[in-house]
Amino acid sequence: MTMQRFRLKDLGQVDRSKPLRFKFDGKFYEGYRGDTLASALLANGVHLVGRSFKYHRPRGLLSAGAEEPNALIQVGEGNSTDPNTRATQMILRDGLTVKSQNRWPNLTFDLGYVNNLIHRLLPAGFYYKTFMWPASWWMRYEYWIRRAAGLGEAPKGADPDRYEKNHAHCDVLIVGSGPAGLSAALAAGQTGARVILTEEQDSFGGSLTYNTDCTIDGLPAFEWVKRTVAALSSMPEVILLKATVTNGYYDHNYLTLLESTDNDNQTGSEYKTRQRLWKVRAKRVVLATGQIERPLIFRDNDRPGIMLSAAMRAYLNRYGVSPGNRVLLFTNNDDAYRTAISLKKNNVPIAAIVDLRSNPDGELVDQVRSEGITIYPGHAIVSTAGYLRIKSAKIMQLSEDGTKLIGSMKEIRCDSIGMSGGWNPTVHLFSQSGGKLRWDEELAQFLPKTVTQNLVSIGGCDGTQGLSNCLKAGLKAGAESARATNNKGRAPRLPKVIEPKYNDQRTIWLIPTERANGKISNHFVDFQNDVTASDIGLAAREGYRSVEHLKRYTTMGMGTDQGKTSNVAALAILGETLGTTAPNIGHTTFRPPYTPATIGAYAGRNLGLLFDPVRTTVMNECHKGLGAKFEHVGQWMRAWYYPKPNETMQQAVNREVKAARDSVGILDASTLGKIDIKGPDAAEFLNRVYTNAWLKLAPGRARYGLMLKEDGMVMDDGVTTHLQPGHFHMTTTTGGAASVLEWLEEWHQTEWPDLKVYFTSVTEQWAVASICGPNCRKLLSDLAPDLDLSNEEFPFMSVKEGNVAGITARIFRISFTGELSFEINVPRRYGPKLWDALMQKGKKYDICPYGTEAMHVLRAEKGFIVVGQETDGTVTPYDLGMDWIVSKTKHDFVGKRALKRSDIIKNDRKQLVGLLTENETEVIPEGSQVVETPTSAPPMVMIGHVTSSYYSPNCNRSIAMALVKGGKEKIGQTLHVPLRNKTIKVTVTDTQFFDKEGVRLDG
Amino acid sequence: MDDAALPKQKDSGTSPLDKLIKVPGGAKDAGIFLKECRHSGKLILRGDPSDDLFIKSTSKVLGYKLPLTPNTFLKNSEYTSVWLGPNEWLVNSLPGDDSSLENDLNIALTDVHHSVTNVSDNSTIIQLSGPNARSVIMKGCAVDVHPRVFNPGDAFQSNLAAASVIMWQLNLIPTFNIMVRASFASYLWKWLLDAGAEFGVQIRL
Amino acid sequence: MLYIKCPWCGYRDDAEFHYGGEAHIKRPFDADSLSDEEFSEYLFQKSNTKGLTLERWVHTSGCRRWFNVLRNTVTNEIIEVYPSNQLPSSQAGKEYYKNNWRRKSAAESLTTRQVEK
């Protein structure tokens, strides 16, 4: 293990009593609790953390936060591994194993670096231009390109970690715990408001964790943070969430927060949660997301050791880590001076400050001067040297207008550079909320403009400068937001602040080059995607002038960092190239998530058995006992078929289908939708939603009905029974149970509220055993001796109440098989008892349980349709040959007028017909296309498709139904079903394949 | 199925969670407690509350006036009536009381347009209580159950995880009754066990 | 995700609701007297506006009531909600309703004629 050579004594907020061991690229290091992986690596002198995406250039830590483009690492091992994690956000924990990405064989010697040596051959759009031919080879090219330009690796197996979700509501959600966010939380919290404060880092305070040169009410800034956090913790309605990225801002103040709970504070538990996705509905949102420092764009500005000025201050003051042994600062504003003072205070040697401004002045500048630090005003870094770590920089003086270099070059030795190119307000969430941005010329920043949700932006993200101003904005926004959400209280008084004052910056987007030919090279704008200023120029020259085109052509801003440090500079450079300004270029769309998130966090606990509810009927155990195989029907698991030992599915289904027609079959029909309909206008209502007549259906009788949508297309079908005057029992398809009830309510509530009728779902109130076959009457009679089941007393399409096997039951004499059949409904709790009694008594008739597959064969033999199989929302009753069910005399029903539309009455619509194969044993695959004239290869003119197709043991041949163009007129003709290897010849028939006379219904 | 441990009424039939709840028990210092209210009576009552006769007639049978405030419920020792819609209520009763109540309501409402539908078997009630009950609900339900807005006497219909539920809060422990359709009950039960695992779960009869 | 205020149950996530398309499409009483073109205005033509729109929602996972919403399709701002048997009461809603092309459609004038009888 190596020593923490760059850890400074007694500085920062890490807990030195808690050393943590971790492994980076196979080597062990030590850090402390409170470190991020990034700070711990720097403490050990490790600046080189990754290779760039395209050129494989060695890269170091640029930042100390969410904006980090370079330090993307692979965390963990095996299936727990997580790629592309930003080292700056990775909370260090004991035993952590991480490795760098996008290098082979290793980080210091990476063969991919060859891309850098030939980088002039790899400009923006290179891959698009080069690998265009032949088109069919693109997949092959892509494989190798993606391999070369790799990010991390996704785990191969299931993620073993536990992820939770949590819904929360609050009055005020505050994003960001810097001075503005913290004071807003304090002001809102003390009114008693329900407040959630989120902080992306592992500790609250934002810039106050490292700006140690300020005092608030006489306290060092971080002491004030601690006191404020303690005050907030004591408020019962305030939720403090650190290590929590607010990563999405959606409609109506719905925000998602991703909380990382996997630090070593958590007590060990098998239910230990790694991350928790919060779904928050906030009455009001306060965005205090601060600002992100901008890099300066100069030649070779990407070498390890070059980082942002404020990040340097963060590593120093927050983590007690020195950035190096000789630090050069390069700036266009006062921030680097602030860093210089902090470095100096901790005895970190400073090489010089290179300032783009010709006459820097003000208190920070004066202080630096008085410390004896060299300042190069009006100068710029024009190039750097050093492969795996910065070694030196060359500087030159700038011309008055900043576009040229003058004078002689001077080389300055250094092992790290802190740079500051000004600040970008973090407007991502604001923009995601639907807010529009404006360009502020003076600050050279995009700032919030039009607000479309109940939110307020405060502090740095709103362009506010200075600690005092941020505190003031926070207190005001916190108090106002609390009041706006019906909480009472006044803002606390503004504390007394001592802070350094900043002077104006000098914005030069592109630092000129020292090269004689004037060509810029290796001026990196987007570090993660290796997009240089010259790539942007090239894109502009080639006509990619829209920012969205620029983004896609150069991949600028498309990485995991979404261009947090690069977008604004890229826009400005594009603007300069095109002779316009950033606001005229516009900006690309900000989309969630703000930082990459693990898929596991979105899956949460919806895994395995909890992925989707599995619904079973109350007879499920009975089916299992009979060895049933099950099939999914929506969320339902229905018994599919009941194989005997050594039986194939086809054999089992054949046996079941035969038994149902030869003696007795029994089916669990419990899943059918059931709706209880009551009221004096119930019949009138049915008359309006079904196509046929319902007013004269006598109590005790049942009728089959077809429901259409208003466009005339079949929507659902089922049998509805008049139980008692004004009381109906409707059945729907299994899949239509919920939608039909909603449909009935819709028509009742919105169109015919005057009709006196009520609907109640009773789908699961009843367990249903459907028995059919010539012996089913005898079987039922054995169990219900008191009932007269004769055709005279209990005719087809009627209902009886009575005792079956000691259970009060509703028995419907209806049939989906064409056989004599009874559907016995009992309260759900007695379902197994009914089933077992029928199976027991049925033994003497060789009762055979049949599943959904046999049910389908049985109904298809009779040409009965299944809605959703024979229909697909484009099929009318006429298309199905069901003209008989469409009333010609009713004044109105849903879909009536549409059935008269010219398109509906055309003869060449797809119509339902039967298909018989020439080879009787051949079963056509369902979904096959039907053609009139087959050719040896596609394309062929398709005139229809097969909707149902089975082997029918009762017909001793295969049967099929199909929707065929003008099918009714094609009956008797020969058509073809082309398959991959053969073509099946079929004859068109009607759809009745068995018992055409319908004599079996009465037994 | 071995369910001899369950104190059942004679021939009371199958309840949706019988297969899952065999042995009571679990963590002693549990954060949540779960049980199934087997076979409780459930009626869906529909009628027009602006019709005085409807309100009067139902009050006579129930012993109190139906709740007219959305998302609330009222109860006495026999019946709990939950507001489900502007003309719809759930009336929850003790096991076995549903048929007589159904009958009484129908008789009392003879001259009023109404409907009473017995849905005792259509769904079951899972009772969730304990100090972490609210946290468990928050894992799968987007309705705000914070005590500032949701208290004993309050009810709602919404989704809990992937199941559609009717929920009402009985007391300050807090205890929630969660009514769920029979075929979703085992899914929801497993979901509750999983969601409650980090707090410790005790299963009661 | 939208937060929709059901007129009865109050604010709920949009996952609890189903969308019902354009509101205030009156169903022609005697549709047989409409030409195919006139009927298709009722059946197929939807306003689909950018900006304010009147639309129907049903609180599927809650009280199962249908109601109407005045929403801005650009910002998703919801201006008002009201039961399905009522007309909008906000100024913007009234204007949108009044100026909607449908008020002059054949299908709707047929409904009006029927009501007048």
Side-chain angles (χ1 to χ4, degrees):
Chain A
M1 182 160 342
T2 49
M3 300 286 293
Q4 300 186 43
R5 286 182 293 130
F6 289 84
R7 188 76 72 175
L8 298 168
K9 230 180 159 185
D10 304 327
L11 182 65
Q13 295 135 30
V14 293
D15 184 351
R16 297 184 191 229
S17 68
K18 303 253 166 44
L20 307 171
R21 227 166 85 104
F22 68 101
K23 196 162 103 179
F24 174 68
D25 276 350
K27 201 168 160 191
F28 284 100
Y29 297 94
E30 190 191 72
Y32 294 122
R33 167 105 136 254
D35 263 327
T36 59
L37 174 64
S39 65
L41 285 171
L42 286 182
N44 289 284
V46 179
H47 276 252
L48 174 68
V49 288
R51 288 275 173 168
S52 70
F53 188 70
K54 189 170 159 189
Y55 302 131
H56 291 251
R57 286 169 67 97
R59 290 282 164 81
L61 287 151
L62 180 71
S63 75
E67 68 270 32
E68 177 59 37
N70 292 336
L72 301 184
I73 44 140
Q74 184 98 26
V75 180
E77 290 170 305
N79 290 333
S80 247
T81 192
D82 206 0
N84 308 330
T85 306
R86 292 144 308 285
T88 50
Q89 286 186 303
M90 181 74 221
I91 301 159
L92 193 70
R93 57 169 192 262
D94 204 36
L96 189 68
T97 299
V98 295
K99 59 181 189 198
S100 54
Q101 300 179 168
N102 200 29
R103 81 289 187 273
W104 189 83
N106 62 51
L107 194 53
T108 48
F109 178 72
D110 173 18
L111 278 180
Y113 188 69
V114 67
N115 273 9
N116 183 60
L117 305 178
I118 56 161
H119 74 269
R120 263 175 298 267
L121 305 176
L122 295 172
F126 169 76
Y127 295 113
Y128 295 130
K129 291 170 188 161
T130 313
F131 296 104
M132 279 175 61
W133 188 89
S136 61
W137 276 39
W138 172 246
M139 297 299 276
R140 276 184 236 183
Y141 290 138
E142 198 187 13
Y143 173 80
W144 285 104
I145 294 168
R146 287 197 186 280
R147 233 179 102 93
L151 286 174
E153 279 172 40
K156 301 270 187 300
D159 189 335
D161 292 326
R162 190 177 172 96
Y163 301 86
E164 289 280 4
K165 289 185 190 175
N166 190 37
H167 294 268
H169 298 256
C170 64
D171 294 330
V172 190
L173 171 68
I174 299 157
V175 184
S177 75
L182 262 188
S183 54
L186 190 65
Q190 67 178 27
T191 67
R194 292 167 70 184
V195 174
I196 297 176
L197 174 68
T198 70
E199 167 55 49
E200 159 241 310
Q201 295 270 316
D202 193 32
S203 111
F204 296 101
S207 60
L208 298 182
T209 59
Y210 57 82
N211 282 340
T212 47
D213 50 5
C214 312
T215 63
I216 303 174
D217 270 347
L219 290 173
F222 192 67
E223 287 305 311
W224 179 85
V225 169
K226 285 202 257 184
R227 210 171 63 170
T228 306
V229 170
L232 289 168
S233 305
S234 70
M235 298 175 186
E237 296 303 341
V238 174
I239 297 172
L240 297 172
L241 294 173
K242 57 180 185 175
T244 302
V245 181
T246 303
N247 66 5
Y249 196 140
Y250 306 87
D251 286 318
H252 295 177
N253 273 0
Y254 186 75
L255 292 94
T256 51
L257 329 175
L258 189 58
E259 180 191 8
S260 292
T261 50
D262 57 350
N263 54 50
D264 57 359
N265 294 335
Q266 209 183 19
T267 53
S269 149
E270 61 179 306
Y271 302 109
K272 186 166 152 169
T273 301
R274 181 170 168 225
Q275 289 180 341
R276 185 176 289 112
L277 184 68
W278 290 66
K279 302 174 173 194
V280 180
R281 191 69 78 167
K283 290 202 177 104
R284 193 165 166 82
V285 173
V286 177
L287 294 177
T289 47
Q291 303 193 333
I292 291 173
E293 199 163 16
R294 285 201 283 250
L296 285 165
I297 298 162
F298 55 97
R299 187 176 173 193
D300 289 328
N301 58 344
D302 66 329
R303 300 194 190 278
I306 303 178
M307 64 169 69
L308 295 166
S309 154
M312 200 172 257
R313 213 152 64 239
Y315 287 119
L316 186 75
N317 292 329
R318 180 172 170 183
Y319 302 103
V321 173
S322 162
N325 290 324
R326 193 172 157 82
V327 181
L328 179 64
L329 293 151
F330 183 25
T331 190
N332 71 0
N333 68 88
D334 284 352
D335 196 76
Y337 291 81
R338 206 172 181 182
T339 305
I341 293 163
S342 269
L343 290 168
K344 182 77 190 171
K345 204 172 138 194
N346 292 291
N347 304 316
V348 179
I350 299 169
I353 298 184
V354 180
D355 196 328
L356 292 175
R357 298 174 297 182
S358 312
N359 297 299
D361 61 355
E363 59 178 82
L364 283 163
V365 178
D366 292 345
Q367 206 180 330
V368 165
R369 280 206 182 99
S370 70
E371 295 279 2
I373 298 164
T374 316
I375 302 172
Y376 293 98
H379 275 67
I381 296 180
V382 293
S383 73
T384 62
Y387 177 53
L388 298 178
R389 175 85 183 258
I390 180 89
K391 278 183 188 146
S392 68
K394 287 178 182 159
I395 68 166
M396 282 177 85
Q397 196 177 349
L398 280 165
S399 65
E400 191 84 353
D401 64 356
T403 59
K404 287 185 192 66
L405 299 164
I406 46 179
S408 58
M409 196 149 38
K410 183 176 166 58
E411 184 161 10
I412 300 174
R413 196 171 52 78
C414 62
D415 66 355
S416 52
I417 296 178
M419 60 176 163
S420 179
W423 298 82
N424 291 330
T426 310
V427 291
H428 300 65
L429 290 174
F430 173 81
S431 187
Q432 284 178 26
S433 81
K436 295 278 172 289
L437 303 174
R438 67 181 173 87
W439 177 255
D440 186 302
E441 197 60 55
E442 199 182 323
L443 297 172
Q445 293 177 336
F446 278 109
L447 292 174
K449 185 175 140 197
T450 327
V451 178
T452 58
Q453 298 209 40
N454 194 351
L455 70 84
V456 58
S457 295
I458 58 164
C461 70
D462 192 37
T464 304
Q465 292 176 309
L467 173 57
S468 182
N469 290 335
C470 287
L471 290 172
K472 195 169 155 189
L475 294 174
K476 180 163 171 273
E480 276 177 7
S481 299
R483 275 200 297 278
T485 52
N486 295 322
N487 297 283
K488 290 189 179 63
R490 298 175 58 164
R493 107 197 131 72
L494 182 66
K496 233 181 149 61
V497 172
I498 297 172
E499 61 174 319
K501 293 270 172 305
Y502 275 39
N503 274 348
D504 291 347
Q505 69 181 44
R506 181 190 192 187
T507 307
I508 297 176
W509 294 107
L510 186 55
I511 309 292
T513 177
E514 87 294 1
R515 297 170 76 202
N517 60 9
K519 277 196 175 165
I520 52 167
S521 172
N522 286 349
H523 286 55
F524 284 92
V525 179
D526 182 329
F527 289 75
Q528 185 169 105
N529 283 303
D530 274 347
V531 180
T532 64
S534 55
D535 287 327
I536 296 170
L538 176 68
R541 284 199 302 283
E542 295 195 347
Y544 297 95
R545 290 157 178 246
S546 139
V547 58
E548 296 290 350
H549 290 158
L550 171 76
K551 173 175 169 174
R552 281 153 187 81
Y553 192 59
T554 62
T555 71
M556 196 279 308
M558 284 172 82
T560 61
D561 69 335
Q562 297 275 296
K564 289 186 180 66
T565 52
S566 63
N567 277 350
V568 174
L571 297 176
I573 291 169
L574 180 64
E576 279 176 359
T577 313
L578 298 174
T580 180
T581 53
N584 294 327
I585 301 292
H587 55 82
T588 52
T589 314
F590 295 85
R591 290 192 180 86
Y594 176 66
T595 53
T598 321
I599 294 291
Y602 291 91
R605 301 293 307 152
N606 300 339
L607 309 167
L609 282 174
L610 301 179
F611 174 65
D612 195 37
V614 172
R615 305 173 67 185
T616 55
T617 75
V618 67
M619 279 94 96
N620 195 50
E621 292 303 303
C622 307
H623 307 318
K624 281 188 184 168
L626 291 162
K629 300 279 180 207
F630 292 84
E631 74 165 333
H632 286 280
V633 181
Q635 288 175 322
W636 287 102
M637 279 298 259
R638 296 191 66 180
W640 192 13
Y641 60 99
Y642 301 79
K644 293 199 162 160
N646 303 322
E647 231 179 12
T648 64
M649 175 174 174
Q650 189 63 55
Q651 287 167 336
V653 171
N654 286 353
R655 174 176 51 74
E656 291 169 20
V657 170
K658 286 291 282 177
R661 295 211 190 279
D662 292 347
S663 182
V664 190
I666 176 170
L667 172 82
D668 178 356
S670 304
T671 59
L672 280 192
K674 304 170 200 72
I675 300 169
D676 200 60
I677 303 175
K678 279 182 183 145
D681 294 325
E684 172 62 26
F685 188 90
L686 293 173
N687 210 43
R688 296 186 192 183
V689 295
Y690 278 134
T691 59
N692 48 349
W694 287 81
L695 295 179
K696 289 183 181 147
L697 183 72
R701 301 308 303 261
R703 185 161 286 172
Y704 172 77
L706 205 57
M707 266 181 219
L708 309 184
K709 292 248 169 171
E710 186 71 323
D711 62 4
M713 303 303 161
V714 173
M715 171 196 153
D716 206 81
D717 69 345
V719 170
T720 293
T721 307
H722 199 170
L723 296 170
Q724 278 162 17
H727 183 190
F728 290 81
H729 175 89
M730 175 185 278
T731 60
T732 74
T733 57
T734 296
S739 56
V740 170
L741 179 66
E742 192 164 301
W743 179 248
L744 301 181
E745 283 287 357
E746 176 181 348
W747 284 94
H748 184 223
Q749 287 176 36
T750 65
E751 208 56 48
W752 310 311
D754 51 313
L755 293 185
K756 289 185 168 172
V757 59
Y758 288 121
F759 315 95
T760 305
S761 168
V762 289
T763 297
E764 300 196 39
Q765 172 67 17
W766 302 97
V768 183
S770 176
I771 53 172
C772 76
N775 285 322
C776 76
R777 184 183 276 134
K778 280 188 256 174
L779 168 61
L780 182 56
S781 172
D782 289 347
L783 286 168
D786 301 339
L787 291 178
D788 183 343
L789 303 176
S790 66
N791 282 325
E792 296 70 36
E793 274 303 306
F794 195 2
F796 180 56
M797 295 307 255
S798 63
V799 66
K800 264 190 192 298
E801 269 200 24
N803 216 299
V804 179
I807 313 161
T808 307
R810 275 182 194 165
I811 309 153
F812 298 89
R813 223 201 109 183
I814 56 182
S815 177
F816 194 41
T817 59
E819 292 296 312
L820 173 69
S821 175
F822 299 92
E823 287 196 6
I824 309 160
N825 287 235
V826 296
R828 184 187 189 276
R829 69 184 75 177
Y830 301 120
K833 191 180 165 191
L834 172 72
W835 181 273
D836 290 343
L838 287 162
M839 288 300 294
Q840 189 62 32
K841 276 281 176 214
K843 270 185 190 161
K844 63 178 165 180
Y845 309 108
D846 283 330
I847 189 168
C848 176
Y850 67 93
T852 47
E853 189 65 20
M855 174 191 83
H856 273 286
V857 180
L858 287 161
R859 64 92 198 173
E861 287 177 342
K862 290 294 295 176
F864 294 153
I865 63 152
V866 166
V867 171
Q869 188 160 345
E870 270 64 52
T871 73
D872 58 5
T874 68
V875 179
T876 70
Y878 302 148
D879 299 338
L880 296 170
M882 293 173 77
D883 311 39
W884 53 271
I885 203 170
V886 181
S887 164
K888 308 288 178 295
T889 54
K890 283 204 291 186
H891 174 263
D892 189 18
F893 58 83
V894 178
K896 176 168 186 269
R897 172 62 184 84
L899 289 180
K900 294 181 181 170
R901 290 176 53 239
S902 52
D903 264 11
I904 300 298
I905 51 181
K906 273 189 191 161
N907 285 333
D908 65 344
R909 287 180 61 81
K910 281 190 177 179
Q911 292 156 341
L912 191 69
V913 291
L915 298 182
L916 292 177
T917 52
E918 190 176 46
N919 171 358
E920 295 185 345
T921 59
E922 192 158 38
V923 180
I924 315 169
E926 278 175 1
S928 299
Q929 296 294 324
V930 179
V931 304
E932 227 155 356
T933 331
T935 54
S936 56
M940 287 174 247
V941 180
M942 297 175 286
I943 60 164
H945 65 275
V946 175
T947 59
S948 288
S949 178
Y950 308 97
Y951 183 78
S952 160
N954 291 305
C955 303
N956 281 316
R957 58 157 303 124
S958 73
I959 56 172
M961 287 193 268
L963 283 164
V964 174
K965 260 191 155 197
K968 280 178 203 167
E969 288 176 1
K970 292 196 166 63
I971 287 179
Q973 292 182 19
T974 301
L975 297 177
H976 300 85
V977 178
L979 300 176
R980 186 182 287 268
N981 301 318
K982 59 179 173 180
T983 295
I984 301 175
K985 210 171 173 186
V986 295
T987 307
V988 183
T989 67
D990 64 36
T991 55
Q992 289 251 4
F993 302 102
F994 184 76
D995 182 32
K996 282 186 199 279
E997 304 75 28
V999 294
R1000 303 177 67 93
L1001 263 180
D1002 283 336
Chain B
M1 190 167 77
D2 177 22
D3 52 5
L6 297 176
K8 266 198 226 167
Q9 288 169 263
K10 189 166 174 264
D11 200 22
S12 67
T14 310
S15 190
L17 293 172
D18 283 353
K19 215 185 127 243
L20 290 172
I21 310 171
K22 289 188 177 167
V23 189
K28 280 207 180 66
D29 55 348
I32 65 161
F33 305 92
L34 285 172
K35 73 168 199 174
E36 185 191 14
C37 306
R38 297 180 80 246
H39 296 316
S40 72
K42 299 167 209 85
L43 304 179
I44 295 290
L45 172 62
R46 309 283 307 258
D48 178 3
S50 65
D51 180 345
D52 280 347
L53 192 54
F54 173 75
I55 293 295
K56 265 189 212 157
S57 311
T58 51
S59 302
K60 219 177 276 176
V61 177
L62 297 170
Y64 55 86
K65 199 177 144 194
L66 282 168
L68 300 182
T69 309
N71 298 307
T72 63
F73 72 93
L74 288 171
K75 67 186 290 253
N76 58 17
S77 57
E78 288 172 289
Y79 310 123
T80 300
S81 301
V82 185
W83 183 97
L84 299 182
N87 58 16
E88 185 170 359
W89 294 264
L90 164 76
V91 186
N92 184 215
S93 62
L94 294 170
D97 285 0
D98 44 336
S99 300
S100 57
L101 177 62
E102 184 181 1
N103 206 32
D104 293 349
L105 283 168
N106 275 326
I107 289 168
L109 292 166
T110 307
D111 299 323
V112 189
H113 169 45
H114 77 283
S115 88
V116 180
T117 307
N118 194 325
V119 292
S120 298
D121 288 15
N122 199 57
S123 44
T124 191
I125 292 172
I126 297 173
Q127 198 168 81
L128 164 70
S129 64
N132 295 109
R134 221 173 254 122
S135 305
V136 167
I137 293 169
M138 284 168 70
K139 287 188 183 191
C141 181
V143 175
D144 194 1
V145 290
H146 190 277
R148 275 197 191 169
V149 292
F150 197 79
N151 283 292
D154 289 328
F156 65 80
Q157 301 163 82
S158 182
N159 304 311
L160 179 58
S164 149
V165 296
I166 301 172
M167 201 184 299
W168 60 100
Q169 187 180 345
L170 296 172
N171 55 37
L172 288 168
I173 289 173
T175 303
F176 300 93
N177 270 1
I178 304 169
M179 185 162 128
V180 60
R181 268 181 293 162
S183 64
F184 285 90
S186 66
Y187 158 78
L188 189 62
W189 183 264
K190 287 172 196 159
W191 185 87
L192 286 164
L193 291 179
D194 181 77
E198 63 174 300
F199 310 113
V201 185
Q202 193 181 111
I203 292 164
R204 293 173 167 177
L205 288 178
Chain C
M1 196 193 304
L2 303 189
Y3 209 31
I4 301 171
K5 189 181 180 184
C6 165
W8 290 274
C9 302
Y11 282 102
R12 297 292 179 89
D13 276 5
D14 66 15
E16 292 194 15
F17 299 86
H18 282 170
Y19 186 63
E22 188 178 342
H24 301 295
I25 300 180
K26 286 180 191 148
R27 187 164 188 262
F29 178 73
D30 197 2
D32 281 359
S33 66
L34 292 175
S35 69
D36 271 9
E37 287 69 27
E38 288 170 337
F39 181 68
S40 73
E41 279 188 350
Y42 154 72
L43 187 60
F44 297 123
Q45 301 302 319
K46 308 293 174 208
S47 296
N48 196 24
T49 45
K50 181 179 180 183
L52 289 183
T53 192
L54 285 167
E55 61 195 11
R56 309 184 317 150
W57 289 83
V58 57
H59 192 188
T60 308
S61 304
C63 64
R64 302 194 290 122
R65 295 304 103 181
W66 283 87
F67 59 95
N68 296 331
V69 172
L70 175 64
R71 181 175 64 100
N72 185 324
T73 56
V74 178
T75 61
N76 274 333
E77 184 195 2
I78 290 177
I79 296 99
E80 65 170 319
V81 293
Y82 54 97
S84 62
N85 56 355
Q86 293 176 14
L87 289 173
S89 58
S90 67
Q91 196 52 42
K94 281 178 184 164
E95 269 169 36
Y96 179 88
Y97 177 83
K98 194 175 126 228
N99 299 329
N100 190 285
W101 64 275
R102 205 176 285 284
R103 302 290 90 79
K104 296 192 185 76
S105 71
E108 187 151 315
S109 48
L110 186 71
T111 325
T112 323
R113 279 203 303 278
Q114 289 296 332
V115 172
E116 279 162 6
K117 267 187 224 165

